Amino acid sequence: MSKLTAQDLAHFTGTTRYYRIGRKQLLTDGTQYLAEQAGCYWIMDAVSSHVTEIGTEDWFVVVRIEVEDHQAVMRYEDGNGRELARQAIPYTDFPLRNLTLYAVWDAEHWVIMLPSEY
């Protein structure tokens, strides 16, 4: 695993390609890069399963990940500060202390993206 930094993700704007990770879940260039570089496909899997359970009534979900002492908390919000779900991760070697992702329903798929790709 490389020493990924937040600056490594900052240059992703939009996407040129989508990467299927499930029947109705796609990654963008930025989230695919993140998953590969940080070895965190588990984050994408967690987001995929939670947004599928949350459903499409909230077509926009903000995922906030906070890491401290090799433990993480993933919060799923509606974009207006209302928490939809929460998941505790008992151990992780994820290299960033904080990460925000967006999951957007496009009428066919949940697209998981970096905020700069929105």
Side-chain angles (χ1 to χ4, degrees):
M1 180 171 55
S2 69
K3 183 61 178 159
L4 182 78
T5 67
Q7 291 78 17
D8 295 330
L9 304 177
H11 74 274
F12 288 98
T13 56
T15 195
T16 60
R17 182 172 174 203
Y18 294 99
Y19 304 82
R20 184 174 299 280
I21 60 165
R23 191 171 60 86
K24 292 193 174 260
Q25 298 86 16
L26 303 172
L27 299 179
T28 58
D29 292 332
T31 50
Q32 174 69 16
Y33 176 85
L34 170 66
E36 286 179 349
Q37 296 301 308
C40 67
Y41 281 100
W42 64 269
I43 288 176
M44 306 311 161
D45 288 341
V47 172
S48 294
S49 65
H50 274 85
V51 296
T52 299
E53 287 181 26
I54 289 168
T56 59
E57 183 178 312
D58 286 308
W59 61 271
F60 179 83
V61 177
V62 177
V63 182
R64 298 187 193 283
I65 303 163
E66 297 174 3
V67 179
E68 187 174 330
D69 296 328
H70 295 286
Q71 297 178 352
V73 174
M74 298 178 71
R75 290 188 337 265
Y76 302 81
E77 302 174 355
D78 67 355
N80 293 315
R82 184 172 66 99
E83 189 171 294
L84 304 170
R86 177 184 291 244
Q87 181 178 7
I89 308 296
Y91 176 81
T92 182
D93 61 356
F94 186 66
L96 303 177
R97 287 186 48 85
N98 297 296
L99 177 69
T100 299
L101 298 173
Y102 292 165
V104 179
W105 179 250
D106 74 356
E108 289 185 45
H109 306 95
W110 280 103
V111 180
I112 303 168
M113 65 186 71
L114 299 171
S116 61
E117 293 177 300
Y118 183 71

Coordinates of all heavy atoms in Angstrom, one line a residue, residues 2-33:
S2 N 0.6 2.2 -0.8 CA 1.3 3.4 -0.9 C 0.9 4.4 0.2 O -0.1 4.2 0.8 CB 1.1 4.1 -2.3 OG -0.2 4.6 -2.4
K3 N 1.7 5.4 0.4 CA 1.4 6.5 1.3 C 0.5 7.5 0.7 O 0.9 8.5 0.2 CB 2.7 7.1 1.9 CG 2.4 8.1 3.0 CD 1.8 7.5 4.2 CE 1.6 8.5 5.2 NZ 0.6 8.2 6.2
L4 N -0.8 7.2 0.6 CA -1.7 8.0 -0.1 C -2.0 9.3 0.8 O -2.1 9.2 2.0 CB -3.0 7.3 -0.3 CG -4.2 8.0 -1.0 CD1 -3.9 8.0 -2.5 CD2 -5.5 7.3 -0.7
T5 N -2.1 10.4 0.1 CA -2.5 11.7 0.8 C -3.7 12.3 0.2 O -4.1 11.9 -0.9 CB -1.3 12.7 0.7 OG1 -1.2 13.1 -0.7 CG2 0.0 12.1 1.2
A6 N -4.3 13.2 0.9 CA -5.5 13.9 0.4 C -5.2 14.7 -0.9 O -6.0 14.8 -1.8 CB -6.1 14.8 1.5
Q7 N -4.0 15.2 -1.0 CA -3.6 15.9 -2.2 C -3.5 15.0 -3.4 O -3.8 15.4 -4.5 CB -2.2 16.5 -2.0 CG -2.2 17.7 -1.0 CD -2.2 17.2 0.4 OE1 -1.9 16.1 0.8 NE2 -2.5 18.1 1.3
D8 N -3.3 13.7 -3.2 CA -3.3 12.7 -4.3 C -4.7 12.6 -4.9 O -4.8 12.3 -6.1 CB -2.9 11.3 -3.9 CG -1.4 11.3 -3.4 OD1 -0.6 12.1 -3.9 OD2 -1.1 10.5 -2.5
L9 N -5.7 12.9 -4.2 CA -7.1 12.8 -4.6 C -7.6 14.1 -5.2 O -8.6 14.1 -5.9 CB -8.0 12.3 -3.5 CG -7.6 11.0 -2.8 CD1 -8.5 10.6 -1.7 CD2 -7.5 9.8 -3.9
A10 N -7.0 15.2 -4.9 CA -7.5 16.5 -5.2 C -7.6 16.8 -6.7 O -8.4 17.6 -7.1 CB -6.7 17.6 -4.5
H11 N -6.8 16.1 -7.5 CA -6.8 16.4 -8.9 C -7.9 15.7 -9.7 O -8.1 16.0 -10.9 CB -5.4 16.1 -9.6 CG -5.2 14.7 -9.7 ND1 -4.6 13.9 -8.7 CD2 -5.4 13.8 -10.7 CE1 -4.5 12.7 -9.1 NE2 -4.9 12.6 -10.4
F12 N -8.7 14.9 -9.1 CA -9.8 14.2 -9.8 C -11.0 15.1 -9.9 O -11.5 15.6 -8.9 CB -10.2 12.9 -9.1 CG -9.1 11.8 -9.2 CD1 -8.2 11.6 -8.2 CD2 -9.1 11.1 -10.4 CE1 -7.3 10.6 -8.4 CE2 -8.1 10.1 -10.5 CZ -7.2 9.8 -9.5
T13 N -11.4 15.4 -11.1 CA -12.6 16.2 -11.3 C -13.4 15.5 -12.5 O -12.8 15.3 -13.5 CB -12.3 17.7 -11.8 OG1 -11.4 17.6 -12.9 CG2 -11.6 18.4 -10.6
G14 N -14.6 15.3 -12.2 CA -15.4 14.5 -13.2 C -14.8 13.1 -13.3 O -14.0 12.7 -12.5
T15 N -15.2 12.4 -14.3 CA -14.6 11.0 -14.5 C -14.7 10.7 -16.0 O -15.5 11.3 -16.7 CB -15.3 9.9 -13.7 OG1 -14.5 8.7 -13.7 CG2 -16.7 9.6 -14.3
T16 N -13.7 9.9 -16.5 CA -13.7 9.5 -17.9 C -14.3 8.1 -18.1 O -14.5 7.7 -19.2 CB -12.3 9.6 -18.5 OG1 -11.5 8.8 -17.8 CG2 -11.8 11.1 -18.5
R17 N -14.4 7.4 -17.0 CA -14.7 6.0 -17.0 C -15.4 5.6 -15.7 O -15.1 6.1 -14.7 CB -13.5 5.1 -17.2 CG -13.7 3.7 -17.4 CD -12.5 2.9 -17.8 NE -12.8 1.5 -17.7 CZ -12.0 0.6 -17.6 NH1 -10.7 0.9 -17.5 NH2 -12.4 -0.7 -17.5
Y18 N -16.3 4.6 -15.8 CA -16.9 4.0 -14.6 C -16.5 2.6 -14.5 O -16.2 1.9 -15.4 CB -18.4 4.1 -14.7 CG -19.0 5.5 -14.7 CD1 -19.3 6.1 -15.9 CD2 -19.1 6.2 -13.5 CE1 -19.7 7.4 -15.9 CE2 -19.5 7.5 -13.5 CZ -19.9 8.1 -14.7 OH -20.3 9.4 -14.7
Y19 N -16.3 2.1 -13.2 CA -15.8 0.8 -12.9 C -16.9 0.1 -12.1 O -17.2 0.5 -11.0 CB -14.5 0.9 -12.1 CG -13.5 1.7 -12.7 CD1 -13.5 3.1 -12.7 CD2 -12.5 1.1 -13.5 CE1 -12.5 3.9 -13.3 CE2 -11.5 1.8 -14.1 CZ -11.5 3.2 -14.1 OH -10.5 4.0 -14.7
R20 N -17.4 -1.0 -12.6 CA -18.5 -1.7 -11.9 C -17.9 -2.5 -10.8 O -16.9 -3.3 -10.9 CB -19.1 -2.7 -12.9 CG -20.3 -3.4 -12.4 CD -21.1 -4.2 -13.4 NE -21.6 -3.4 -14.5 CZ -22.7 -2.6 -14.4 NH1 -23.4 -2.6 -13.3 NH2 -23.1 -1.9 -15.5
I21 N -18.5 -2.3 -9.6 CA -18.1 -3.2 -8.4 C -19.3 -4.0 -7.9 O -19.1 -4.7 -6.9 CB -17.5 -2.3 -7.3 CG1 -18.5 -1.3 -6.8 CG2 -16.2 -1.7 -7.7 CD1 -18.1 -0.7 -5.5
G22 N -20.4 -3.8 -8.5 CA -21.6 -4.6 -8.2 C -22.6 -4.4 -9.3 O -22.4 -3.7 -10.2
R23 N -23.8 -5.1 -9.1 CA -24.8 -5.1 -10.1 C -25.3 -3.6 -10.3 O -25.6 -3.2 -11.5 CB -25.9 -6.0 -9.7 CG -26.9 -6.2 -10.8 CD -27.9 -7.3 -10.4 NE -28.7 -7.0 -9.2 CZ -29.8 -6.3 -9.2 NH1 -30.3 -5.8 -10.4 NH2 -30.5 -6.1 -8.1
K24 N -25.4 -2.9 -9.2 CA -25.9 -1.5 -9.3 C -25.0 -0.5 -8.7 O -25.4 0.6 -8.2 CB -27.3 -1.4 -8.7 CG -28.4 -2.2 -9.5 CD -29.7 -1.8 -9.0 CE -30.8 -2.5 -9.9 NZ -31.4 -1.6 -10.8
Q25 N -23.7 -0.8 -8.6 CA -22.7 0.1 -8.0 C -21.5 0.3 -8.9 O -21.0 -0.6 -9.5 CB -22.2 -0.4 -6.7 CG -23.3 -0.6 -5.6 CD -24.0 -2.0 -5.7 OE1 -23.6 -2.9 -6.4 NE2 -25.2 -2.1 -5.1
L26 N -21.2 1.6 -9.1 CA -20.1 2.0 -9.9 C -19.1 2.9 -9.2 O -19.5 3.7 -8.3 CB -20.6 2.8 -11.1 CG -21.6 2.1 -12.0 CD1 -22.1 3.1 -13.1 CD2 -21.0 0.9 -12.7
L27 N -17.8 2.8 -9.5 CA -16.8 3.7 -9.0 C -16.4 4.7 -10.2 O -16.5 4.3 -11.3 CB -15.6 3.0 -8.6 CG -15.7 2.0 -7.4 CD1 -14.4 1.3 -7.1 CD2 -16.3 2.6 -6.2
T28 N -15.9 5.8 -9.8 CA -15.4 6.8 -10.8 C -13.9 6.6 -10.8 O -13.3 5.8 -10.1 CB -15.7 8.2 -10.3 OG1 -15.1 8.4 -9.0 CG2 -17.2 8.5 -10.3
D29 N -13.2 7.4 -11.7 CA -11.8 7.3 -11.8 C -11.1 7.6 -10.4 O -10.2 6.9 -10.0 CB -11.2 8.4 -12.7 CG -11.6 8.1 -14.2 OD1 -11.8 7.0 -14.6 OD2 -11.7 9.1 -14.9
G30 N -11.6 8.6 -9.7 CA -11.1 8.9 -8.4 C -11.2 7.8 -7.3 O -10.3 7.5 -6.6
T31 N -12.4 7.3 -7.2 CA -12.7 6.2 -6.2 C -12.0 4.9 -6.6 O -11.6 4.2 -5.7 CB -14.2 6.0 -5.9 OG1 -14.9 5.9 -7.1 CG2 -14.7 7.2 -5.1
Q32 N -11.9 4.6 -7.9 CA -11.1 3.5 -8.3 C -9.6 3.6 -7.9 O -9.0 2.7 -7.4 CB -11.3 3.3 -9.8 CG -10.4 2.1 -10.4 CD -10.8 0.8 -9.9 OE1 -11.9 0.6 -9.4 NE2 -10.0 -0.2 -10.1
Y33 N -9.1 4.8 -8.2 CA -7.7 5.1 -7.8 C -7.5 5.0 -6.3 O -6.6 4.4 -5.8 CB -7.3 6.5 -8.3 CG -6.0 7.0 -7.9 CD1 -4.8 6.7 -8.6 CD2 -5.8 7.7 -6.7 CE1 -3.6 7.1 -8.2 CE2 -4.5 8.1 -6.3 CZ -3.4 7.8 -7.1 OH -2.2 8.2 -6.7

